[in-house]
Amino acid sequence: MPTLLQKLFSKRVGNGSSRDCSTGAEQRWASAEFDLAQIRLIVYQDCERRGRQVLFDSKAIHKLDASEPTTDETKSPPTRSGACQINSQASEKDKPPTYQYTRPASDVNMLGEMMFGSVSMSYKGSTLKIHHIRSPPQLMVSKVFSTRFGSSVSGSTNTLQDSFESMSQTLPSHTSSIGVGRAASYPLLCLVRSASFFAAHSNPVDMPSRGQSEDGDSGIARSASLSSLLATPLPSPGSSFSSGCASSYQRRWLRSQATSLQHGPMPRWSTEEMFNLSDESCSSNPAMIRRKKIAISIIISLPEREEENHNFQEFFFSHFPLFESHMNKLKTAIERAMILCRRIAESSHRVQVYLCRVMEALGEFRMTVWNLYMAPRITEPVWLSMISQSAERNLLCQRFLKEMSLLMEHGAKNQFLSALLTAVLMHHLAWVPTVMPSSLPSIKPDCQKPASQTVDLLAKSHPYNSLWAQLCDLYGALGSPVRVCRTVVVGRKRELVQRVLSVLSYFIRCSDLQEHTQPPGQTDNPANPCFSQSINPIPATERRDEDTCSPKPDTSKPTLCMSTNDNALSSDLAHLLPGILSEQHDEKAPFQDTKSINPSPCLESMGVRTECTEMGQEYFGEDSDSVGLEHILANQSPLLHRVRFHIGSPREAENDVQPGALTGVGFGRGLDRKLHRRLLTDIRRNESSDSALGDSDEEEAMPRQLHMVTEQQEYELPLPSCQVESQANVNHFGRSLLGGYCPQYMPDFVLHGINSDVRLKQCLMADLEHTVLHSALDEPVAEALCIVADTDRLSVQVATSQRRVCEGGRLGRDVMVSNLIHTLITSVLQLYALNIAADFCVMHLEDRLQEVYFKSRSLAEYLRGQTRVHVKELGLALGIESSDIPLLAAVASTHSPYVAQILL
Amino acid sequence: MNALVALCHFCELHGPRTLFCTEAVHPPSPSPQQPGSGIPYDRDREADREGEGLTMRANSSATQRADMCEGCRALPVSHPGFVSVDSETGIRYLSHQHPRQPQLFSVVRQACVRSLSCEVCPGREGPIFFGDEQHGFVFSHTFFIKDSLARGFQRWYSIVVVAMDRIYLINSWPFLLRHLRLTIQSLQSTALKVFDSEQCVCPQRAVRMNGAFSPAVFPHQRSGNAARSLTSLTQHPNLWASLHSSFSWLLKACGSRLTEKLLEGAPTEDTLVLIERQTEQEEEMIGWDGAEGGGSNPQPSQSDSLQGTDFQCDDGRQEDLPGPKFKSLRHLRQVLGASDFRQLAWHVLMGNQVIWRSADPGLIQSAFNVLKALLPVGCVRAISYSPQYEEAYRCNFLGLSPDVVIPAHVSSSEFSVLVDVLNAERDCVNPVDDYILSLYHFNISSPNNQPVDKGPTLLNKIEVALSNENLSVEVVSLCLLCLKEEWMNKVKVLFKFSKVDGRGKEDTQKILALLGATGPGEEDNVRLLKFWMTGLSKTYKSHLMTAVRGGERTLSQ
């Protein structure tokens, strides 16, 4: 029996794949072929009593189809430029395919070890793992879940565990139950055993322990069946800001705080995720918790060619949230398959149903991933191109306005463009911060907009994940409550759809990402701790001037208790820590001398470290508990007034620092206070002998000595720097999620076009629900929306996860055209028609969008403290018409979170 | 990056140990609010973490002391650790054997144990990511270091990067892998050299083969050497200082690997004008010459600077002055009455000179302050109290003491309006509810005979907002802001169209219609637009001029 192994790594090298050589509006994103069979699924269970079993391995499953020996799901897509499509759906409906399970691949045991690890943890949440397998090159993503059981079959008191036992006892008679009796041999044993796991009907066995191991308080499993009941919490409203990029800033700041290490682990929203084997129909039944884990692993074979391998990995890791979201979808499908097949009595049928369901879900997964990687993208998203290539701004503006004019004419009588832009501006809210007026004069008049300096500063002082921020922006997750939105343009006329996409790529905005990398082949990379290391330190010492390093440190000085970044201090300290501090001087020199970049060669050559250590032991050793503070106080060295002291834990010290005084300024003033505080701290600690480090298991020192260790100041070393090359990051979401005219609907894309909405109609509601449950944003999402623009029918509808029912086969509600937006577009295009320079028209467009923002501010202020909204009053006094209210309320929710609560 | 890096070692005698840990301590909140910074360290949570198979507390007894060896330790007990400060951001990178923050201790310990004894990496050397919400997320890279005295001639280490933001950590995988590999390869190759030189001196294989094997002695026979530290394995005396530098750099570089270019909206014209005035003022402080003569249009620049001084001091000065004040436009409207207010506001919006005469400078000041809100900042040139008349080109708001005589050409000009503040008659029969009206009454006079009831559109809208008592003062002022911005945008278009592009009358009429300036009150609207054009910032005007030149070049290509 031929396996799929041969196909696994098969791929063809494409031609014309370079991004530069394309002349069309869209081009291929990925440079390599990506074979569906490169994605393998393994489901494993680890049972406390019975050990590990493979519950599924796509590599060991073969489709039994007389006409086609190879499975549809693993066939490579036919066209290179197209997206993967499901061709076999019609036939599958008629007759589900039959699968045969063969001997699992030889590597499953090893993979099982990797999935679960060698120690079983009692942690109940889900665990995520990623392994890189070198040979053959593969990436493995695993999620390990605890399981939740519940029997759905009324009157049956047995559990899966029992049915498993009874099945395995009668094992020989079941060996032919799968594989349609063709391959009844030893390898099948494994599946029979594991497949029997799903049997619900077997001999009832009393379970005396039932109820004792209930897991009553661990909350509701986050699975599809139940989490729709969970109310999504509103994010903390925060204060409403009035200036600039406040909301962008706020969200990034909150993210950096929510994921900060400084607060230790703070389990967030997704911790209760389990593998749910309880039926929806009896979710209120006492659920049985067994010590059983189920692992789902996706193994992706990496391309063999180095460059393709590199590209795929870069893509995979930067787009991981999307991959993970689809893995969660797959997991839900597997859960359902397991629950479903438990109801089937006949075991071979049961296995077939199970295999069918899982293979189907895997097919979905493979296709989605394939599409995500391979589908065509918008070559030149207008907004991103404008902000990144200011030289071409004029041309871009002209092209943009021309396309917008054409669209306006095309759908004039239906107000198609106005409706579409109303919807897009209402839901893809990232444009709002880009029009909030800056308080700074425009630095770059070319692009008319200054870059946010506060956000820039935040990124440096509190690094946050800018990829995450970009994803939020693109999906429009800026408001409160958090909503995410995508836009799909449907139409048979390719050119028209592409024009719509292009225009929308101006209004759907996000930040541009720059990547700063170290030039490859740089030998003096600071990551290398032993650069130019000579094992024998003697030659290095010879190079140094003996005088600078020979003096023994003056022991009366509080040398070890300082930390400073004030370069003026260096000279005072130089004779104490010559090697280290001389580096600070060197650092200012150009980096031509590689030695000055990395402190280690000098350090190592000087032997300073050992000297310092001795000193430390000498003065802070066992019988020197009184040294330190007293010495500092007694020796009022002039140094003291410029030295920053850190007392106690870093946290404590950190809280002492006043905002703004981040670097060595003004610390002298706070010194006395801190010393005083430190004294108090010492006394308190000694009395209670309850050190904050009480549970540090490996400290040799006794508590009192621990204090000494804690309170010494670290040796200061300069921070190494390294030459950096900046380049546009190609794998960011702004480039990858703005899709082109795709052959098929894609669930991830922020924007894309398709020629038919058939598949969209099939999948959209499920996708929206999935988005709410397993948001790629790693944050709770209140609502998922999709704007569907049909260029054939000239209709714009918005589908939402909150309202399922839509009459007459429609996807969502029609959009009410905002008069504000309509006049805005009209006047911009009229200006353009009057031959006013394109870039001025675009500037005017931005000004008008800024007006929309100001109007939202008035609306928010009007709503403050209002219980009822007088629409007439709004119209008369504020010039806000009823058609504008939804848009303005959405805009207002980005800066005034209370608005949503009033209007809801 | 919001993460820490730790070097871990699987000690032959003591199992997995954390050797060296570099953490980043971030400066306190740069934001007005500090969510999360007030989170107290929760001991209960620490207690919760017990009984997870990796209990910390059991190990913390004094007996642990004997369980340490050189191999399990990086820095001597008394070593204070290392620090590096990023002076640009205030982030401090601290290295010790263990993290200083107690809540991170168990996180790192957990990561260390999982990386070296739980998680399985094919080939035992390589990267793994693992973790969960409760224990944090870990990028781990395991590797061997050659040791001629160790079992199998090698020792097992790992470098772990721990973070709470799993997405961030996974996004950083390629970067971390690339650089940790450098670190690891460098350690390995250095150790290999040491190993080779040691083997030359004393081939251990031979020693071991020839040595008599005694089960009783075996575990202890190399115990002295089992304690070899990484420093001795690499013969790198400053290994820890170097590792500190490498790890600190890694954290910094990983955090700044991707930067966002996030744009804000263009500043409003008001902001630009204020900044320009501030700059001018600063320049005037330096040298008080040449400003008046130059330029084709010296008038605005001079008056701008005058007003600039005035504008800066307004708020402070008003509070110093005693007496009654106008609190808002609505208040002014109530005091003057709707029709007088409209007349006054009309003159303000048209750019006519508004002259107030009163013995109470504070009252005039407050009146100007609320009236100024009707105009863009660039259109305001105010002299709030003067002992003599000042010409209209110098100021459109002028406060005078009651005895100042207004020249005839001014009092007869339709481009001015005079408000005389007179003392109220004491025996006024009608009780008045406003304090100001109990003191003063106002006489507004202007030679202007034009009706002021038609336009401009802006004034009509403002009046609707002002007259609606349902709307708070804040709503009215935001509403006014909206209207001003809306009309400023029209002003920009008109400026571009007529001044920059120099289009003819016919086209201009089209533009006016397009802007919604035609219809009833058209004449007033146009006057308003033309007056407001003088208030555009120089930054904007010069930008349009240059941008157009650039644009035409592109067009001609």
Side-chain angles (χ1 to χ4, degrees):
Chain A
M1 173 67 68
T3 66
L4 302 177
L5 193 66
Q6 296 97 313
K7 302 187 66 196
L8 272 174
F9 312 112
S10 70
K11 59 169 179 6
R12 286 161 299 280
V13 178
N15 55 348
S17 57
S18 158
R19 286 201 176 84
D20 312 310
C21 67
S22 169
T23 49
E26 289 159 1
Q27 57 199 36
R28 292 168 46 75
W29 169 257
S31 60
E33 276 299 341
F34 186 74
D35 197 317
L36 291 188
Q38 277 175 256
I39 298 172
R40 173 181 175 189
L41 168 69
I42 296 181
V43 183
Y44 234 117
Q45 79 164 337
D46 191 1
C47 178
E48 205 171 34
R49 279 185 283 169
R50 291 179 190 83
R52 287 182 194 145
Q53 291 152 327
V54 182
L55 301 185
F56 189 91
D57 178 2
S58 63
K59 208 172 165 184
I61 288 173
H62 287 242
K63 196 176 195 176
L64 295 176
D65 195 359
S67 59
E68 248 186 314
T70 52
T71 60
D72 287 341
E73 283 79 4
T74 53
K75 196 164 65 183
S76 184
T79 55
R80 294 194 69 247
S81 59
C84 178
Q85 300 179 59
I86 290 186
N87 305 316
S88 56
Q89 257 180 351
S91 61
E92 273 176 31
K93 263 177 204 163
D94 300 332
K95 202 187 88 189
T98 318
Y99 290 100
Q100 184 192 24
Y101 198 92
T102 56
R103 185 191 193 97
S106 56
D107 57 356
V108 284
N109 285 339
M110 182 59 181
L111 296 176
E113 288 287 319
M114 288 156 64
M115 289 179 203
F116 292 104
S118 55
V119 172
S120 172
M121 306 274 177
S122 57
Y123 177 62
K124 286 202 180 83
S126 68
T127 302
L128 174 67
K129 294 182 193 180
I130 303 174
H131 288 81
H132 180 261
I133 302 165
R134 247 176 300 180
S135 167
Q138 296 169 94
L139 279 177
M140 179 167 98
V141 188
S142 319
K143 286 198 106 172
V144 186
F145 303 91
S146 298
T147 47
R148 169 186 296 273
F149 291 96
S151 169
S152 64
V153 188
S154 53
S156 168
T157 55
N158 62 333
T159 65
L160 293 167
Q161 206 66 44
D162 308 319
S163 66
F164 171 79
E165 273 166 19
S166 65
M167 288 293 276
S168 52
Q169 278 156 14
T170 55
L171 203 132
S173 66
H174 284 269
T175 40
S176 62
S177 62
I178 55 163
V180 209
R182 270 168 45 163
S185 58
Y186 167 75
L188 287 178
L189 185 72
C190 183
L191 182 68
V192 173
R193 282 168 54 96
S194 47
S196 65
F197 166 88
F198 308 106
H201 297 273
S202 65
N203 306 328
V205 175
D206 250 345
M207 285 296 294
S209 65
R210 180 168 184 164
Q212 289 174 359
S213 55
E214 280 171 22
D215 181 42
D217 60 347
S218 73
I220 306 162
R222 263 202 167 269
S223 79
S225 55
L226 289 172
S227 43
S228 54
L229 302 173
L230 292 174
T232 310
L234 287 169
S236 60
S239 57
S240 66
F241 282 75
S242 55
S243 70
C245 58
S247 66
S248 312
Y249 180 91
Q250 178 84 345
R251 281 182 311 112
R252 286 160 172 80
W253 161 251
L254 285 176
R255 175 72 183 180
S256 98
Q257 287 307 293
T259 59
S260 168
L261 259 185
Q262 269 165 285
H263 306 136
M266 287 194 294
R268 294 177 309 127
W269 63 295
S270 60
T271 48
E272 284 166 357
E273 196 174 45
M274 297 187 98
F275 198 88
N276 194 356
L277 287 174
S278 65
D279 243 305
E280 303 186 18
S281 54
C282 67
S283 54
S284 57
N285 281 7
M288 303 296 292
I289 287 288
R290 294 306 177 97
R291 292 205 169 241
K292 181 174 286 189
K293 300 221 172 225
I294 288 189
I296 295 178
S297 274
I298 285 293
I299 300 169
I300 301 173
S301 298
L302 296 169
E304 275 161 358
R305 265 195 14 186
E306 188 50 46
E307 192 195 342
E308 287 172 23
N309 186 334
H310 172 83
N311 289 346
F312 181 80
Q313 288 202 44
E314 291 283 336
F315 181 82
F316 174 82
F317 287 112
S318 55
H319 288 66
F320 183 78
L322 303 174
F323 280 85
E324 190 189 26
S325 166
H326 293 300
M327 252 186 100
N328 283 325
K329 202 183 217 172
L330 183 59
K331 173 225 172 196
T332 307
I334 296 169
E335 278 175 347
R336 284 183 182 152
M338 287 184 177
I339 291 168
L340 178 78
C341 72
R342 271 192 312 195
R343 300 192 189 140
I344 298 162
E346 204 271 308
S347 67
S348 73
H349 183 212
R350 179 164 61 227
V351 168
Q352 277 304 323
V353 166
Y354 169 69
L355 292 180
C356 265
R357 288 299 179 110
V358 179
M359 280 309 283
E360 200 183 311
L362 176 62
E364 279 288 294
F365 179 86
R366 284 168 163 168
M367 193 186 66
T368 315
V369 168
W370 194 94
N371 282 336
L372 181 62
Y373 190 47
M374 303 294 275
R377 265 60 171 194
I378 298 179
T379 320
E380 247 185 3
V382 180
W383 171 254
L384 279 175
S385 303
M386 275 192 195
I387 67 173
S388 59
Q389 310 154 18
S390 46
E392 291 170 40
R393 188 181 149 81
N394 266 308
L395 279 175
L396 288 165
C397 290
Q398 282 173 36
R399 203 181 307 153
F400 166 66
L401 285 168
K402 197 179 168 198
E403 304 219 309
M404 198 150 88
S405 305
L406 289 171
L407 269 188
M408 196 67 174
E409 285 163 29
H410 178 80
K413 61 171 186 272
N414 301 54
Q415 294 195 324
F416 172 71
L417 185 62
S418 304
L420 180 54
L421 287 184
T422 300
V424 165
L425 292 172
M426 185 166 143
H427 297 299
H428 292 280
L429 286 165
W431 64 273
V432 180
T434 67
V435 300
M436 285 189 189
S438 160
S439 54
L440 298 160
S442 182
I443 297 157
K444 289 177 188 166
D446 275 344
C447 60
Q448 274 301 297
K449 286 169 186 287
S452 168
Q453 295 187 341
T454 43
V455 171
D456 195 43
L457 199 66
L458 177 76
K460 282 178 180 153
S461 63
H462 294 79
Y464 59 85
N465 190 354
S466 34
L467 273 172
W468 170 87
Q470 206 190 28
L471 195 59
C472 290
D473 281 359
L474 282 168
Y475 282 133
L478 288 86
S480 166
V482 178
R483 295 193 175 95
V484 294
C485 183
R486 295 180 285 127
T487 297
V488 183
V489 183
V490 189
R492 268 165 302 189
K493 292 177 205 147
R494 180 188 191 94
E495 201 190 343
L496 181 59
V497 172
Q498 284 178 334
R499 180 170 298 144
V500 176
L501 295 176
S502 169
V503 167
L504 291 186
S505 74
Y506 179 75
F507 294 96
I508 299 177
R509 298 181 178 178
C510 67
S511 55
D512 196 19
L513 286 196
Q514 284 267 315
E515 184 168 15
H516 309 285
T517 51
Q518 287 62 45
Q522 198 185 22
T523 45
D524 57 344
N525 190 300
N528 177 354
C530 309
F531 169 65
S532 73
Q533 145 114 27
S534 55
I535 294 170
N536 185 353
I538 296 163
T541 316
E542 282 169 351
R543 283 202 311 268
R544 300 298 287 203
D545 181 4
E546 289 288 329
D547 293 342
T548 54
C549 57
S550 52
K552 252 294 209 187
D554 180 351
T555 53
S556 66
K557 284 202 175 179
T559 53
L560 292 181
C561 300
M562 62 186 61
S563 139
T564 172
N565 49 8
D566 183 355
N567 274 328
L569 277 179
S570 304
S571 54
D572 298 276
L573 300 175
H575 67 286
L576 301 173
L577 305 168
I580 295 164
L581 285 158
S582 62
E583 282 305 315
Q584 278 193 330
H585 298 301
D586 291 350
E587 203 186 26
K588 296 210 152 177
F591 297 126
Q592 287 156 340
D593 176 12
T594 52
K595 285 214 156 287
S596 65
I597 293 168
N598 188 331
S600 60
C602 294
L603 283 178
E604 147 243 306
S605 65
M606 296 303 298
V608 172
R609 253 286 292 108
T610 38
E611 191 180 281
C612 295
T613 311
E614 284 162 17
M615 205 164 67
Q617 280 166 338
E618 196 177 328
Y619 292 101
F620 296 93
E622 299 222 336
D623 45 7
S624 63
D625 6 0
S626 63
V627 180
L629 186 61
E630 286 73 9
H631 273 236
I632 295 159
L633 294 172
N635 296 279
Q636 284 289 344
S637 147
L639 272 180
L640 274 174
H641 299 290
R642 283 181 286 159
V643 172
R644 172 178 175 180
F645 279 77
H646 298 294
I647 284 104
S649 72
R651 249 185 114 187
E652 200 178 319
E654 172 208 319
N655 292 339
D656 283 346
V657 179
Q658 282 153 9
L662 300 181
T663 51
V665 195
F667 290 115
R669 189 161 37 89
L671 181 65
D672 288 350
R673 187 169 58 84
K674 286 180 192 172
L675 285 174
H676 183 67
R677 185 185 176 129
R678 176 174 163 186
L679 271 172
L680 292 176
T681 316
D682 274 2
I683 293 163
R684 198 182 66 230
R685 282 194 184 162
N686 284 333
E687 277 171 359
S688 67
S689 77
D690 181 19
S691 162
L693 290 174
D695 27 19
S696 50
D697 62 340
E698 293 169 12
E699 292 289 356
E700 267 183 45
M702 300 307 283
R704 244 171 24 166
Q705 289 165 268
L706 263 179
H707 290 169
M708 294 316 302
V709 173
T710 325
E711 284 153 20
Q712 287 173 39
Q713 274 312 301
E714 294 84 1
Y715 298 124
E716 175 151 0
L717 298 173
L719 199 58
S721 57
C722 175
Q723 270 183 325
V724 175
E725 281 176 0
S726 297
Q727 64 200 53
N729 180 285
V730 287
N731 272 313
H732 72 74
F733 294 114
R735 300 278 172 194
S736 69
L737 291 188
L738 297 177
Y741 189 62
C742 305
Q744 195 175 342
Y745 158 74
M746 321 266 177
D748 294 308
F749 284 4
V750 167
L751 174 68
H752 74 295
I754 45 176
N755 70 353
S756 138
D757 62 359
V758 175
R759 188 159 161 78
L760 176 74
K761 280 181 172 158
Q762 287 171 0
C763 306
L764 186 57
M765 284 325 292
D767 283 343
L768 291 176
E769 277 168 21
H770 174 76
T771 305
V772 172
L773 294 174
H774 300 286
S775 156
L777 301 182
D778 196 33
E779 275 190 354
V781 163
E783 188 181 2
L785 302 130
C786 184
I787 300 168
V788 181
D790 191 322
T791 56
D792 296 335
R793 275 173 253 165
L794 295 177
S795 68
V796 182
Q797 297 176 343
V798 178
T800 160
S801 61
Q802 286 185 346
R803 279 181 296 274
R804 281 214 69 149
V805 192
C806 274
E807 67 282 359
R810 310 173 104 218
L811 285 159
R813 288 174 151 196
D814 282 330
V815 174
M816 176 167 57
V817 176
S818 156
N819 191 44
L820 204 54
I821 299 302
H822 182 68
T823 51
L824 186 157
I825 308 166
T826 313
S827 71
V828 169
L829 291 179
Q830 279 174 341
L831 281 185
Y832 181 63
L834 280 169
N835 275 327
I836 288 192
D839 77 322
F840 180 84
C841 295
V842 171
M843 267 165 62
H844 183 65
L845 172 57
E846 290 301 300
D847 284 341
R848 300 296 295 267
L849 286 173
Q850 195 173 57
E851 280 179 32
V852 175
Y853 161 71
F854 281 127
K855 278 224 156 68
S856 80
R857 292 272 313 276
S858 335
L859 177 66
E861 190 57 48
Y862 173 81
L863 290 173
R864 193 191 291 274
Q866 292 270 346
T867 45
R868 286 192 58 208
V869 179
H870 305 274
V871 176
K872 205 178 163 191
E873 195 170 77
L874 278 174
L876 279 175
L878 303 182
I880 295 172
E881 295 177 21
S882 60
S883 67
D884 302 328
I885 293 176
L887 170 77
L888 292 176
V891 174
S893 78
T894 66
H895 51 78
S896 309
Y898 61 87
V899 167
Q901 280 142 29
I902 293 168
L903 284 181
L904 275 176
Chain B
M1 193 191 181
N2 217 328
L4 59 79
V5 193
L7 175 73
C8 309
H9 171 44
F10 194 95
C11 176
E12 282 178 22
L13 299 176
H14 305 114
R17 290 297 159 114
T18 315
L19 293 185
F20 191 74
C21 175
T22 304
E23 55 196 311
V25 178
H26 298 270
S29 158
S31 123
Q33 61 171 28
Q34 298 189 22
S37 62
I39 293 173
Y41 171 53
D42 190 353
R43 279 214 165 265
D44 291 343
R45 220 174 341 124
E46 192 66 12
D48 285 347
R49 261 181 246 132
E50 281 186 80
E52 283 171 11
L54 298 168
T55 310
M56 313 298 143
R57 222 160 283 256
N59 293 334
S60 65
S61 64
T63 56
Q64 184 66 37
R65 235 175 129 178
D67 279 355
M68 292 286 279
C69 63
E70 275 304 305
C72 299
R73 167 174 298 295
L75 305 170
V77 185
S78 55
H79 193 285
F82 298 101
V83 66
S84 290
V85 183
D86 184 347
S87 54
E88 188 190 7
T89 62
I91 299 176
R92 301 187 314 129
Y93 300 93
L94 294 165
S95 293
H96 302 96
Q97 177 149 9
H98 300 289
R100 291 285 112 157
Q101 299 173 71
Q103 65 270 43
L104 294 184
F105 182 90
S106 61
V107 171
V108 173
R109 174 90 183 121
Q110 172 104 14
C112 163
V113 172
R114 278 180 80 168
S115 129
L116 287 170
S117 65
C118 301
E119 299 302 335
V120 176
C121 178
R124 295 191 79 199
E125 284 188 299
I128 313 181
F129 172 92
F130 56 84
D132 51 64
E133 290 288 342
Q134 192 175 328
H135 304 99
F137 296 92
V138 183
F139 176 87
S140 145
H141 197 303
T142 44
F143 59 100
F144 288 110
I145 291 283
K146 278 286 180 190
D147 176 1
S148 59
L149 300 178
R151 183 187 304 154
F153 300 107
Q154 57 189 6
R155 292 167 168 279
W156 204 32
Y157 290 86
S158 73
I159 295 176
V160 292
V161 182
V162 185
M164 294 313 295
D165 189 339
R166 78 201 153 94
I167 305 291
Y168 200 176
L169 196 55
I170 293 171
N171 288 161
S172 307
W173 169 301
F175 174 90
L176 290 173
L177 182 59
R178 201 158 53 235
H179 290 99
L180 285 183
R181 264 193 190 143
L182 276 178
T183 310
I184 289 165
Q185 282 164 358
S186 141
L187 289 173
Q188 284 174 329
S189 64
T190 314
L192 184 63
K193 282 180 203 153
V194 177
F195 176 81
D196 287 342
S197 65
E198 284 175 354
Q199 287 292 79
C200 281
V201 177
C202 173
Q204 280 294 315
R205 184 174 292 275
V207 172
R208 291 187 198 179
M209 302 265 274
N210 298 333
F213 177 77
S214 153
V217 186
F218 183 74
H220 307 288
Q221 138 187 74
R222 297 196 320 271
S223 61
N225 299 327
R228 286 184 78 179
S229 67
L230 194 56
T231 317
S232 102
L233 293 180
T234 54
Q235 291 291 309
H236 187 337
N238 300 307
L239 176 75
W240 303 115
S242 301
L243 268 183
H244 163 82
S245 294
S246 294
F247 286 175
S248 304
W249 176 84
L250 189 77
L251 287 174
K252 179 182 158 74
C254 193
S256 56
R257 182 177 64 96
L258 291 175
T259 54
E260 266 190 302
K261 184 178 176 186
L262 190 73
L263 297 190
E264 294 176 328
T268 59
E269 282 299 295
D270 282 2
T271 312
L272 287 176
V273 169
L274 283 177
I275 290 169
E276 284 170 12
R277 286 188 178 165
Q278 211 173 340
T279 320
E280 275 171 27
Q281 232 178 308
E282 280 160 12
E283 280 164 5
E284 274 169 33
M285 304 280 255
I286 298 163
W288 189 271
D289 53 359
E292 289 189 15
S296 58
N297 192 11
Q299 181 183 327
S301 88
Q302 188 192 25
S303 46
D304 273 6
S305 57
L306 273 176
Q307 198 276 328
T309 328
D310 190 51
F311 197 93
Q312 300 296 320
C313 316
D314 272 354
D315 296 333
R317 202 190 295 167
Q318 195 190 339
E319 274 161 36
D320 297 340
L321 296 167
K325 305 269 185 316
F326 291 107
K327 296 188 284 276
S328 64
L329 275 178
R330 182 178 279 161
H331 184 210
L332 181 67
R333 188 170 183 265
Q334 282 160 354
V335 170
L336 296 183
S339 88
D340 277 359
F341 174 81
R342 180 159 178 117
Q343 201 190 354
L344 183 62
W346 185 89
H347 281 283
V348 169
L349 290 170
M350 294 299 122
N352 294 341
Q353 191 175 38
V354 177
I355 306 166
W356 282 54
R357 270 198 305 205
S358 166
D360 184 349
L363 185 75
I364 295 183
Q365 177 82 60
S366 71
F368 286 176
N369 276 342
V370 295
L371 284 172
K372 272 188 224 167
L374 290 169
L375 291 177
V377 173
C379 288
V380 177
R381 286 160 285 134
I383 295 176
S384 54
Y385 207 65
S386 166
Q388 80 272 336
Y389 174 75
E390 300 282 352
E391 290 294 337
Y393 73 84
R394 295 202 60 194
C395 56
N396 56 343
F397 290 98
L398 177 63
L400 296 173
S401 52
D403 50 337
V404 176
V405 181
I406 294 170
H409 73 276
V410 177
S411 53
S412 64
S413 162
E414 59 176 304
F415 300 112
S416 71
V417 62
L418 176 66
V419 180
D420 272 312
V421 183
L422 307 169
N423 286 330
E425 290 153 31
R426 291 288 164 196
D427 55 334
C428 181
V429 194
N430 301 333
V432 279
D433 44 3
D434 195 280
Y435 177 52
I436 292 178
L437 279 181
S438 70
L439 295 173
Y440 304 114
H441 83 99
F442 299 85
N443 185 19
I444 299 185
S445 59
S446 169
N448 175 50
N449 299 318
Q450 281 179 287
V452 296
D453 56 329
K454 270 193 179 170
T457 314
L458 178 87
L459 182 55
N460 299 342
K461 290 194 173 171
I462 291 171
E463 285 222 288
V464 174
L466 285 174
S467 60
N468 186 341
E469 298 280 341
N470 252 350
L471 305 180
S472 69
V473 173
E474 289 76 23
V475 174
V476 172
S477 73
L478 274 169
C479 175
L480 185 57
L481 176 71
C482 284
L483 286 168
K484 275 161 60 183
E485 288 299 325
E486 187 187 327
W487 281 84
M488 249 348 235
N489 290 337
K490 298 181 200 295
V491 167
K492 288 177 182 176
V493 174
L494 194 63
F495 177 80
K496 162 78 178 163
F497 205 76
S498 57
K499 304 278 169 178
V500 181
D501 293 358
R503 301 284 187 102
K505 262 199 169 169
E506 202 176 308
D507 274 0
T508 309
Q509 196 57 34
K510 276 189 202 161
I511 275 288
L512 290 174
L514 191 157
L515 294 174
T518 47
E522 177 175 340
E523 201 186 326
D524 289 336
N525 284 336
V526 173
R527 262 182 88 178
L528 180 142
L529 288 171
K530 283 182 176 166
F531 169 50
W532 283 28
M533 228 184 271
T534 65
L536 285 172
S537 70
K538 287 169 199 153
T539 316
Y540 183 80
K541 288 192 259 189
S542 69
H543 171 69
L544 274 198
M545 294 295 187
T546 51
V548 156
R549 263 172 248 136
E552 276 159 3
R553 220 177 297 131
T554 319
L555 278 168
S556 63
Q557 273 167 6

